């Protein structure tokens, strides 16, 4: 059944501490001796007032930042606990790529090796755009998020690789570009191929069917959008945990 050609989418509280004369408490005989002792860090006991204040401000700001990070992490985990990353979809294995902005899916199809690289959400469009409309904001009902896909299909011994650049919308895959790449000795500026929308309608439909036979279909688009919502939260919490560990490190 012929596939309908889709229209192009354009896409901090502070703490202060002081003490009586440290010369009296420590038994030191200094003529110009600071009269402040840090109760948080004994190594700061002999400092100029300016250094003392600077250190206390650092402790206060660091403490406030850590408090906010812990609260935010706790809120995120309690509000919606993290899901275990999926490692398989249909015939594809899924590599989460922790800490990165993309994931990788791979499978075999006959004598072909297929690799799909998918970004996290990298754009959005409004379902109904009018003059003066505000910029799309993720989370709104009238906003559709965008994921970029690069599909690489190679055959052993061919020397060439078919590269198909796609957009994964909420419920469908849209082809943007089709290229031929060299597996070795990659050209600096390979011919990018024609504008996909300028191709004959029947040829466009045939390329969609070519991808669908290999599992690059609308079901994959739905899966990726669910997966990336989880990954977006996971990476956010991982980022907060990393910042917290950095600030805590002495």
């Amino acid at each position: 059944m012929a596939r309908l050609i889709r229209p192009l989418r354009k896409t901090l509280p502070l703490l202060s501490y002081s003490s009586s004369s440290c010369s009296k408490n420590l038994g030191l005989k200094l003529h110009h001796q600071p009269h402040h002792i840090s109760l948080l860090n004994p190594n700061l006991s002999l400092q100029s007032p300016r250094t003392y204040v600077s250190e206390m401000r650092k402790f206060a700001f660091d403490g406030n930042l850590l408090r906010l990070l812990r609260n935010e992490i706790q809120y995120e985990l309690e509000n919606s606990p993290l899901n275990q990353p999926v490692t398989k979809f249909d015939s594809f294995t899924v590599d989460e790529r922790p800490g990165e902005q993309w994931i990788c899916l791979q499978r075999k199809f006959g004598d072909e090796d297929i690799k799909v690289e998918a970004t996290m959400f990298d754009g959005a469009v409004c379902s109904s755009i009018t003059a003066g409309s505000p910029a799309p904001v993720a989370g709104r009902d009238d906003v559709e998020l965008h994921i970029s896909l690069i599909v690489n299909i190679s055959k052993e011994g061919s020397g060439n690789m078919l590269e198909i650049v796609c957009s994964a919308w909420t419920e469908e895959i849209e082809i943007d570009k089709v290229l031929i790449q060299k597996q070795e000795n990659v050209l600096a500026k390979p011919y990018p191929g024609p504008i996909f929308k300028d191709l004959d309608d029947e040829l466009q439909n045939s390329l969609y069917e070519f991808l669908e036979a290999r599992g690059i279909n609308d079901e994959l688009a739905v899966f990726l959008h669910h997966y990336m919502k989880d990954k977006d939260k996971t990476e956010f919490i991982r980022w907060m945990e990393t910042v917290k560990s950095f600030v805590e490190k002495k």
Side-chain angles (χ1 to χ4, degrees), residues 19-89:
S19 73
S20 58
S21 171
C22 64
S23 59
K24 182 177 180 180
N25 291 336
L26 301 178
L28 300 177
K29 298 180 179 179
L30 299 176
H31 294 294
H32 302 287
Q33 193 168 309
H35 296 279
H36 301 278
I37 297 178
S38 169
L39 301 183
L40 296 179
N41 190 341
N43 296 326
L44 304 178
S45 58
L46 298 178
Q47 296 183 355
S48 69
R50 178 176 296 179
T51 303
Y52 168 80
V53 171
S54 176
E55 289 291 341
M56 294 310 300
R57 286 172 60 87
K58 176 182 180 298
F59 282 126
F61 291 146
D62 288 2
N64 189 67
L65 176 58
L66 290 171
R67 177 181 62 81
L68 292 173
L69 286 169
R70 293 189 189 104
N71 289 345
E72 188 69 20
I73 292 169
Q74 182 179 359
Y75 172 81
E76 290 291 336
L77 292 175
E78 291 178 352
N79 189 48
S80 54
L82 295 177
N83 296 320
Q84 192 68 21
V86 177
T87 59
K88 194 172 182 62
F89 170 75

Side-chain angles (χ1 to χ4, degrees), residues 3 7 12 14 35-36 38 47-48 56 58 83 97 103-104 116 118 128 133 149 152 155 192 202 227 234-235 239 248:
R3 184 186 182 100
L12 296 163
L14 300 178
H35 296 279
H36 301 278
S38 169
Q47 296 183 355
S48 69
M56 294 310 300
K58 176 182 180 298
N83 296 320
R97 310 291 300 180
I103 66 172
C104 182
V116 180
S128 57
S133 296
L149 299 185
N152 291 320
K155 296 182 180 181
E202 190 174 355
Y227 189 98
T234 299
E235 294 300 342
W239 173 82
E248 288 174 334

Side-chain angles (χ1 to χ4, degrees), residues 21 23 128 132 175 188 194 206 219 226:
S21 171
S23 59
S128 57
I175 298 176
S206 181
E219 287 73 22
H226 286 295

Side-chain angles (χ1 to χ4, degrees), residues 3-9 146-151 153 162-169 172-179 192 194-213 216-218 221:
R3 184 186 182 100
L4 178 64
I5 301 303
R6 304 180 176 88
L8 178 63
R9 276 183 263 199
H146 176 271
I147 295 171
S148 296
L149 299 185
I150 298 179
V151 181
I153 304 174
L162 185 63
E163 182 173 288
I164 305 177
V165 181
C166 304
S167 292
W169 298 100
E172 64 180 5
I173 294 287
E174 185 178 83
I175 298 176
D176 298 323
K177 190 179 295 185
V178 180
L179 310 87
I195 297 173
F196 184 76
K197 296 296 182 181
D198 290 345
L199 294 175
D200 176 78
D201 289 355
E202 190 174 355
L203 180 53
Q204 289 186 46
N205 282 331
S206 181
L207 283 166
Y208 275 111
E209 292 168 356
F210 176 86
L211 282 183
E212 287 174 357
I216 317 297
N217 51 30
D218 295 345

Side-chain angles (χ1 to χ4, degrees), residues 107-119:
R107 68 166 293 184
K108 291 283 291 185
F109 184 77
D111 62 345
E112 299 174 356
D113 290 308
I114 301 176
K115 180 172 72 171
V116 180
E117 295 177 339
T119 66

